[in-house]
Amino acid sequence: MDEYIEALLKEIELTLFHQPVSEAETIYIGGGTPTSLSASQLDRLLSGVHELLPTHTTKEFTVEANPGDLSEDKMLVLKNHQVNRLSMGVQTFDNRLLKKIGRKHTAEDVYSTIQLLEKHDFQNVTIDLIYALPGQSIESFRDTLTRAIDLGLPHYAMYSLILENKTMFMNWVRQGRMALPSQEAETQMFDEAIAAMNKAGLTQYEISNFARPGYESLHNLVYWNNEHYFGFGAGASGYLGQSRYKNKGPIQHYLKPLQENQLPIHEIEELTTSNQMEEELFLGLRKKAGISKIRFAEKFGKSFQEIYGSTSEQLIQKGWLASQGDRVFLTKAGMFIGNEVFEAFLLDGEK
């Protein structure tokens, strides 16, 4: 782990040597497990980040945490390094389901971590929840939703379970060893979540994200606004200029080029103008506010109407899309079938 931390800092140093930056408005240390580091390792990582990046310009500095992993000494390290936002992967408050999906923490660990955060007056906290888990009933989900909202946090993220090919879960579903909730139940869970969050004063500012005013994730808005960012670490992805890149994933494959003062990039994808337009729509429409026609024209030199006029009209007639003034955004019905809407904006070839 010490070797990995030093390699990660070296990657940042090598990258910024070639592409120096004068500001870093958001920093996000993720991967789910930064708090599995010891306090001294966490201190070394964050010290290195401050040495290499212009953190005096940073408005939002997020670290992901596992419930139960955050101890008093680690909390002090975070505070000492001006980390001002914490993201915690809770998933569910149902201990039976947590065990089923292979999570090590319990609901009790979540409460003890929240108590520690309150003790240190750490106010900008978000938790991730997953719905449509295997064997999850509507009643179990409602209990999780109630317990989550009762924490009174300023931000929540909520995602449905996505099964990937060649994973244990997908194999179990195919073998009939594990049942997922029906599409109707999944839709009901999402619908009830939106209603409960709104009732609690949390605005759904993105399909899967809810926040009190002023607590929207600045870092995630960089993605949804289709802006540029660096990605550092094993398996990390970044977006610079007209290129998206991905680092080598397995740790040893990541470490080897850095030992030779080379960047650990696995692949680079050069985006055509069509690709960039598509991504502007896919990502921007995830936000409740949708996309700006003016910004689209400024960015691509062509009007939204010229490129997507007929497509958007068809989607508006279906009740999936709306247009008001400068903004184009998903309706509530469109949010439930976002992927179908996004597919309609795929372009044929370069435009």
Side-chain angles (χ1 to χ4, degrees):
M1 192 59 76
D2 291 331
E3 185 182 1
Y4 176 68
I5 291 169
E6 295 308 320
L8 174 57
L9 295 174
K10 187 172 188 178
E11 184 199 351
I12 297 173
E13 185 176 15
L14 284 173
T15 302
L16 297 185
F17 178 78
H18 296 291
Q19 298 185 70
V21 293
S22 59
E23 59 183 23
E25 287 199 356
T26 69
I27 296 173
Y28 194 104
I29 300 182
T33 56
T35 53
S36 65
L37 298 175
S38 67
S40 60
Q41 288 170 334
L42 195 57
D43 183 60
R44 170 63 188 127
L45 173 61
L46 296 176
S47 295
V49 166
H50 280 293
E51 288 165 13
L52 297 167
L53 289 164
T55 53
H56 63 281
T57 66
T58 303
K59 296 175 182 176
E60 181 185 274
F61 194 157
T62 306
V63 170
E64 287 190 351
N66 280 338
D69 268 357
L70 200 57
S71 55
E72 190 84 34
D73 54 351
K74 294 178 192 177
M75 186 73 238
L76 293 172
V77 169
L78 295 180
K79 294 286 282 189
N80 186 47
H81 286 288
Q82 291 86 53
V83 171
N84 58 14
R85 186 171 184 269
L86 198 87
S87 177
M88 190 159 53
V90 171
Q91 322 315 356
T92 175
F93 283 85
D94 186 329
N95 285 338
R96 179 185 61 85
L97 287 179
L98 284 169
K99 193 171 182 181
K100 187 179 252 187
I101 62 174
R103 298 301 301 236
K104 293 178 182 176
H105 73 269
T106 63
E108 291 70 34
D109 290 329
V110 176
Y111 288 117
S112 62
T113 302
I114 292 292
Q115 284 178 345
L116 182 61
L117 292 167
E118 288 175 348
K119 176 185 173 183
H120 289 276
D121 195 29
F122 208 107
Q123 296 178 5
N124 196 351
V125 178
T126 178
I127 61 174
D128 286 359
L129 301 173
I130 299 180
Y131 62 98
L133 289 165
Q136 186 177 39
S137 65
I138 294 283
E139 290 71 25
S140 169
F141 174 71
R142 281 177 186 151
D143 177 65
T144 280
L145 190 58
T146 300
R147 292 168 75 172
I149 291 173
D150 283 349
L151 293 174
L153 302 178
H155 191 286
Y156 297 85
M158 189 167 306
Y159 305 97
S160 63
L161 180 67
I162 297 174
L163 292 180
E164 302 284 356
N165 279 326
K166 299 180 181 176
T167 59
M168 180 178 68
F169 283 167
M170 179 62 91
N171 291 337
W172 284 357
V173 168
R174 285 175 176 159
Q175 293 163 9
R177 293 171 58 192
M178 188 171 79
L180 295 174
S182 66
Q183 184 64 53
E184 292 76 18
E186 181 177 337
T187 300
Q188 185 179 342
M189 289 177 189
F190 187 45
D191 203 17
E192 289 192 13
I194 294 171
M197 291 286 178
N198 285 339
K199 188 178 178 182
L202 294 140
T203 301
Q204 183 187 21
Y205 70 102
E206 189 270 347
I207 290 178
S208 302
N209 284 263
F210 304 80
R212 301 194 190 284
Y215 284 92
E216 297 83 1
S217 170
L218 298 179
H219 188 80
N220 288 345
L221 283 166
V222 170
Y223 298 124
W224 302 321
N225 288 330
N226 202 21
E227 294 169 356
H228 296 123
Y229 54 90
F230 291 103
F232 301 116
S237 298
Y239 179 31
L240 300 171
Q242 297 178 1
S243 304
R244 288 196 180 275
Y245 66 90
K246 185 174 176 62
N247 279 349
K248 296 175 188 291
I251 296 290
Q252 292 306 322
H253 294 190
Y254 170 80
L255 294 175
K256 193 171 186 301
L258 286 163
Q259 289 162 355
E260 299 164 3
N261 288 319
Q262 300 293 319
L263 288 172
I265 294 174
H266 173 59
E267 59 185 15
I268 298 176
E269 179 190 5
E270 297 295 339
L271 301 180
T272 64
T273 303
S274 288
N275 294 150
Q276 293 172 64
M277 288 177 175
E278 290 166 355
E279 290 190 357
E280 188 81 8
L281 272 291
F282 300 166
L283 296 166
L285 286 174
R286 289 193 59 87
K287 297 177 297 176
K288 193 80 179 282
I291 64 149
S292 159
K293 297 177 195 173
I294 293 171
R295 186 172 185 269
F296 185 93
E298 288 173 346
K299 198 167 183 178
F300 301 112
K302 293 185 179 180
S303 73
F304 176 84
Q305 191 65 25
E306 179 186 349
I307 305 298
Y308 285 122
S310 60
T311 302
S312 59
E313 280 304 318
Q314 290 169 21
L315 294 170
I316 288 168
Q317 287 173 14
K318 289 181 178 180
W320 296 347
L321 199 69
S323 178
Q324 288 181 7
D326 178 46
R327 313 300 303 189
V328 178
F329 52 93
L330 293 178
T331 61
K332 187 176 180 182
M335 278 194 177
F336 282 92
I337 52 160
N339 287 340
E340 288 181 48
V341 179
F342 301 154
E343 283 174 18
F345 286 106
L346 286 170
L347 296 168
D348 297 321
E350 184 70 41
K351 291 203 178 183

